[in-house]
Amino acid sequence: MASEGILYYADAPRYIAQAERSVASLRRVMPEVHVTLATTLADVEVDGFDAIRQLEVAPDDHTRIGKIRAIATAPYDKVIYVDTDTIFAGDVGSIFAALDDFGLAASHAPIRRSPVGAWDASLPECFTGLNGGVLGLNLTDPDTAAFVAAWEDAYRDTSEVTRQDQPSFNRLLYRSRVRFLVLPPEYNFRAEFSNQSKGANMGVKVIHSHAVNEMDRERTDDLIRKLSDDRFATFLRDEDDIAVQFTKMPTVAAMPQVARSLSDARLAAALRASHMWDRAREGRNLRNEVFDILSEDAGLKVLQIGNPVAPILDLINRANAEAAICVTDQSWIERLETGITSPFARIVEAAFAVENGDMEVVRRADDVPTVEVIDPATGIEGLLQRLFPSRRPDWVRTRRPARVWPELMTLAGIDDPQVVALATAGRDPEAVEACLAAIDAGDLPTPNYIQVEGRKIPQRSRRAVRKALRDAGFWVLDQGGSGIMAVHPVALGLVSR
């Protein structure tokens, strides 16, 4: 059995269904972690779990007895127990790392010192209690093992007053020798209650709520997207109506100081406004404000890697770019070709990468020998294309080894190239990281602007992309579902390359 893993407990069909939804969300962010379901039910069929363990609990015992026994007999040295009414929004592996130094980890309970009749009034008021819905435990720690072994009896002492396990858990924890870590609310975000808040510079990791667990996937994903933002946020719930309210805090670290230091008032205003989730409400377009500045110099050279095409087309045409080195998929070629209105711009190459370092290069049919064409037309259509040139496609696919940046520049006939913009699909954060590594190695000039498509970027990847861009010296303007904009201060002449 794995030395660390995630544990669920369920003793009713509704909780089995909740656990299945929860573990599906867990697999999206931690696909390799070992997961066990403990249950009192027989012949349980459920997807997503590596192991199912049968527990014996007396019929008249409350479900919390089963939960406590499941934790006490967990098949791991280090275990993270989660209630079934949870949805994972991020990786919680850091809890396992913290359990090297702590015996137990849990978040504060949103309702303090409750229920009153079961709470130990002798405990100091500042000890408000921890919630048992997300628990990290190092069961090899003697003090933690002793605590878990004593929990069932402590629970029975309070069970006549309340069926909740938190009063017994907290009175026992306070007087134990366990060295415990209080997790931030992001690790046990109680969306079951209104006005739950998360801090800045961290997305929510686990959403704990029956309502959210049982929502449809589209609404859940939208909530995760909003709660993955780096700003302070408060969750608001009125029955089934949910919303996330952001405190006005910029995405970029120390942004107020950065904005005040800028000489260009337009970009300063754009950066100060970059924290707004709903840009339309302010009646402004941050991308256009940035492009106004970047396009002031004519004759720019533009590199595009992957999608999206539209933002880069806008910049190419505004700046009368000299050339576009375009690596994109075939479906965008016609749009790219017809969308360029600048009289100076031209498509040097259009391609998309495939395995083994080769490229499937989309090139004009007139420039490609027939034998090099991938998937040439055959049968009647092939005959018609040979007889009637008007039926031949303008573009065809052919294969060749991938060219490196200097070769592309030679092909384009560009001396001393300046990379103004780089765009990439967000669903593949490795592409962003590879480009940044090439920039760091000197193989690729530093772009002034980077656009990362937002529609398909996984939430677990968004933070990594933002961090990589910031570490590379870019100012990151998160546009929510529209993607991520990154501007390098060299574009404003504030620093030299």
Side-chain angles (χ1 to χ4, degrees):
M1 184 62 70
S3 62
E4 58 186 40
I6 309 289
L7 175 69
Y8 290 80
Y9 172 74
D11 60 1
R14 178 192 179 187
Y15 303 137
I16 293 292
Q18 286 185 346
E20 193 165 24
R21 288 189 291 270
S22 177
V23 79
S25 68
L26 170 63
R27 291 301 187 193
R28 289 192 285 272
V29 295
M30 298 178 69
E32 303 301 324
V33 71
H34 198 277
V35 190
T36 295
L37 172 67
T39 180
T40 57
L41 303 178
D43 302 322
V44 170
E45 294 184 4
V46 61
D47 293 330
F49 291 91
D50 297 295
I52 297 178
R53 294 169 63 87
Q54 199 76 28
L55 286 183
E56 294 293 334
V57 176
D60 57 343
D61 268 335
H62 188 262
T63 184
R64 305 302 170 91
I65 292 291
K67 166 186 169 177
I68 296 169
R69 288 185 185 174
I71 293 172
T73 60
Y76 308 110
D77 294 334
K78 292 190 289 187
V79 60
I80 299 174
Y81 165 82
V82 291
D83 282 351
T84 59
D85 59 328
T86 50
I87 290 291
F88 281 79
D91 190 319
V92 297
S94 63
I95 296 179
F96 290 127
L99 291 175
D100 288 337
D101 301 302
F102 292 89
L104 184 146
S107 298
H108 278 131
I111 300 178
R112 314 301 195 197
R113 302 167 65 83
S114 175
V116 176
W119 188 264
D120 188 341
S122 68
L123 297 180
E125 185 180 17
C126 62
F127 181 71
T128 60
L130 305 181
N131 179 262
V134 178
L135 290 176
L137 303 105
N138 183 347
L139 297 178
T140 66
D141 174 65
D143 294 328
T144 304
F147 166 82
V148 172
W151 188 6
E152 182 174 331
D153 288 340
Y155 174 77
R156 293 188 185 280
D157 290 341
T158 60
S159 61
E160 292 185 2
V161 179
T162 178
R163 291 296 183 94
Q164 294 183 19
D165 56 46
Q166 283 178 199
S168 60
F169 174 86
N170 283 290
R171 69 166 62 187
L172 189 63
L173 181 64
Y174 186 84
R175 294 189 170 90
S176 76
R177 298 172 60 88
V178 175
R179 187 166 185 259
F180 63 89
L181 170 68
V182 177
L183 298 172
E186 291 86 350
Y187 282 82
N188 188 359
F189 194 76
R190 298 303 311 278
E192 198 68 24
F193 303 92
S194 185
N195 297 312
Q196 295 299 295
S197 296
K198 78 172 194 68
N201 297 328
M202 183 186 290
V204 163
K205 303 294 186 180
V206 180
I207 302 173
H208 186 178
S209 163
H210 290 284
V212 174
N213 177 279
E214 295 172 0
M215 285 192 315
D216 62 73
R217 173 73 184 276
E218 183 177 355
R219 292 183 69 199
T220 301
D221 286 350
D222 180 64
L223 179 59
I224 290 174
R225 175 180 63 82
K226 292 175 179 177
L227 292 176
S228 297
D229 193 275
D230 276 352
R231 292 164 288 174
F232 286 107
T234 300
F235 177 86
L236 307 173
R237 178 168 180 250
D238 182 10
E239 296 182 351
D240 280 342
D241 187 22
I242 63 173
V244 175
Q245 176 178 301
F246 291 102
T247 301
K248 291 190 174 183
M249 175 182 174
T251 341
V252 180
M255 181 54 71
Q257 292 80 3
V258 173
R260 283 196 296 270
S261 71
L262 298 179
S263 58
D264 192 301
R266 286 172 300 169
L267 189 60
L271 294 176
R272 281 198 299 270
S274 67
H275 65 279
M276 293 301 297
W277 186 268
D278 184 2
R279 291 177 293 118
R281 187 163 55 188
E282 288 213 335
R284 67 193 307 151
N285 186 314
L286 300 183
R287 179 188 291 157
N288 285 344
E289 294 187 32
V290 172
F291 279 11
D292 284 341
I293 296 169
L294 296 183
S295 61
E296 289 176 354
D297 295 326
L300 301 178
K301 289 81 175 178
V302 178
L303 167 71
Q304 176 175 324
I305 299 180
N307 298 333
V309 167
I312 303 304
L313 266 176
D314 187 16
L315 184 55
I316 290 172
N317 293 328
R318 282 178 184 236
N320 285 322
E322 178 182 333
I325 311 298
C326 303
V327 184
T328 185
D329 61 63
Q330 188 174 7
S331 64
W332 289 92
I333 298 304
E334 182 176 351
R335 179 177 178 182
L336 191 64
E337 184 184 33
T338 58
I340 293 177
T341 60
S342 166
F344 305 101
R346 66 192 190 281
I347 299 176
V348 176
E349 179 173 282
F352 60 97
V354 293
E355 296 179 356
N356 303 320
D358 288 345
M359 309 287 285
E360 286 189 1
V361 182
V362 184
R363 300 175 63 188
R364 288 194 176 278
D366 294 343
D367 299 334
V368 180
T370 304
V371 294
E372 294 183 12
V373 176
I374 297 175
D375 301 326
T378 58
I380 296 297
E381 179 59 29
L383 175 61
L384 291 174
Q385 287 187 15
R386 288 194 295 274
L387 292 175
F388 304 105
S390 61
R391 291 185 66 94
R392 296 174 188 168
D394 293 332
W395 296 83
V396 295
R397 293 189 302 140
T398 182
R399 190 185 300 275
R400 65 150 176 78
R403 289 194 178 97
V404 296
W405 170 251
E407 291 178 324
L408 290 176
M409 292 299 94
T410 301
L411 180 67
I414 298 177
D415 297 324
D416 191 23
Q418 174 193 7
V419 183
V420 177
L422 181 154
T424 183
R427 64 180 178 272
D428 184 13
E430 289 78 11
V432 178
E433 294 166 0
C435 292
L436 293 175
I439 293 166
D440 187 57
D443 297 330
L444 183 70
T446 303
N448 290 346
Y449 170 85
I450 292 178
Q451 174 73 39
V452 181
E453 183 186 31
R455 291 181 300 108
K456 296 182 179 178
I457 181 170
Q459 292 302 320
R460 62 181 179 275
S461 302
R462 183 179 291 273
R463 180 175 302 280
V465 170
R466 286 199 301 254
K467 183 177 186 303
L469 290 168
R470 288 173 182 156
D471 291 345
F474 288 88
W475 291 337
V476 180
L477 315 181
D478 199 320
Q479 299 172 286
S482 299
I484 298 171
M485 287 170 42
V487 182
H488 201 281
V490 75
L492 307 177
L494 298 178
V495 298
S496 58
R497 291 199 187 277

